[in-house]
Amino acid sequence: GRQGRLPFPEAVTEELERVRVGRLAETLQTEEEWMAKLRRVGAMPGADVKARRLEDSVTIGSAGEYVELSAEDARHILVEART
């Protein structure tokens, strides 16, 4: 399979599936509001979350808590590519 990391929107489909968060881009790390949302749903590097992509947004979450990001914002989150 493909090694490395993919931008979130490219890593998920319309089916809710489990992915592992790889890295958060620096641009996102300076956005306190986004970081608070991502922390709340457990979307931190190394964590497994459930996610799906809709037309121009991505839903990410775990344990029943979800946050919706625009596909553009979600590009700043990299996920580990499944091997």
Side-chain angles (χ1 to χ4, degrees):
R2 277 165 63 180
Q3 295 290 340
R5 294 174 173 161
L6 295 170
F8 220 106
E10 290 167 30
V12 294
T13 64
E14 289 178 12
E15 294 294 315
L16 194 61
E17 57 189 307
R18 186 179 295 279
V19 292
R20 176 159 293 172
V21 179
R23 199 169 78 79
L24 304 177
E26 284 72 18
T27 41
L28 209 57
Q29 292 179 34
T30 59
E31 297 281 338
E32 199 41 60
E33 193 183 332
W34 280 119
M35 291 304 292
K37 286 181 185 179
L38 294 173
R39 271 195 292 273
R40 195 180 75 233
V41 300
M44 292 285 110
D48 287 332
V49 294
K50 287 186 178 162
R52 63 185 291 215
R53 175 167 189 177
L54 300 172
E55 213 158 291
D56 48 11
S57 69
V58 174
T59 302
I60 306 169
S62 61
E65 281 252 26
Y66 289 90
V67 64
E68 195 173 301
L69 302 175
S70 71
E72 197 170 318
D73 285 332
R75 292 192 68 76
H76 297 298
I77 303 171
L78 299 179
V79 297
E80 302 288 350
R82 285 203 272 307
T83 49

